[in-house]
Amino acid sequence: MLIRQATLLDIDPVMQLVKAVVPLMIEAGNFQWDDTYPNPEVFETDIQLQQLWLAEIDGAIAGIAAITTDQEPEYAKVGWDTNETAIVIHRLAVHPAYQGKGIAVALLEKAELIAINKNIHILRVDTNSMNKATQALFPRLGYGFAGEIDLSFRPSLLFYCYEKRLAVR
């Protein structure tokens, strides 16, 4: 497995991954993504900001994650100081053909390495309250549950927030 930064040439295969994932999310009652979000423009911005990472297996995009420092203002509702710099993982997804193969773990480990390299000691992530897979994954990787929020750009959905603090070196 290769973890690498995305380029604009990756937009089409990234959107193919999204199109494969969205129906499964909706089937599971998770309406975080749909046919309007995330879209190519969101990923183009991620790529321009050098924050979209891909997990590639045999030349195929198996997973994606935007590894950013962008915190939602609603994170304050769980007691987080959003002025504290944190690595925040957004748009984490694994193609259905590659689920259960450690792809999400590898992308989250990449986020941790980026945090360490930038001397950032906090990792944060939110997930739809209906996403049982991530709710099991995050605690297993040392992320603590911080609380529940709503997000203004996704009204009527609930999101669970998780945080991992790294040891200061």
Side-chain angles (χ1 to χ4, degrees):
M1 176 184 339
L2 170 68
I3 304 292
R4 67 171 177 84
Q5 280 191 298
T7 71
L8 290 174
L9 296 174
D10 295 311
I11 294 288
D12 285 341
V14 165
M15 289 309 301
Q16 290 172 10
L17 181 148
V18 170
K19 286 181 177 138
V21 168
V22 167
L24 298 178
M25 292 172 75
I26 291 171
E27 185 178 303
N30 178 355
F31 300 101
Q32 184 170 353
W33 290 6
D34 56 27
D35 59 353
T36 62
Y37 178 87
N39 55 50
E41 293 77 21
V42 170
F43 291 119
E44 286 171 17
T45 299
D46 285 337
I47 290 166
Q48 289 166 354
L49 296 172
Q50 299 182 335
Q51 62 189 23
L52 186 63
W53 291 83
L54 308 176
E56 199 174 75
I57 296 178
D58 298 328
I61 296 176
I64 59 173
I67 301 173
T68 78
T69 54
D70 301 330
Q71 299 188 67
E72 302 298 339
E74 293 90 347
Y75 285 179
K77 294 178 182 178
V78 296
W80 289 345
D81 178 356
T82 57
N83 292 316
E84 259 181 325
T85 303
I87 291 294
V88 184
I89 300 98
H90 294 288
R91 293 174 286 290
L92 174 67
V94 176
H95 191 285
Y98 296 96
Q99 289 177 355
K101 300 184 185 305
I103 306 298
V105 170
L107 289 164
L108 290 166
E109 287 173 347
K110 181 63 178 181
E112 197 164 324
L113 283 173
I114 290 169
I116 290 166
N117 288 337
K118 292 185 174 196
N119 201 30
I120 297 172
H121 306 286
I122 303 166
L123 291 111
R124 292 180 174 155
V125 65
D126 66 76
T127 188
N128 185 278
S129 63
M130 300 303 291
N131 190 333
K132 303 302 178 199
T134 53
Q135 291 169 37
L137 175 66
F138 297 145
R140 196 170 45 118
L141 296 178
Y143 287 77
F145 179 74
E148 183 180 284
I149 61 170
D150 58 346
L151 292 170
S152 61
F153 72 95
R154 279 293 191 227
S156 79
L157 298 179
L158 294 177
F159 294 84
Y160 294 160
C161 295
Y162 293 85
E163 180 180 74
K164 181 174 184 175
R165 292 204 172 241
L166 304 176
V168 179
R169 295 180 185 195

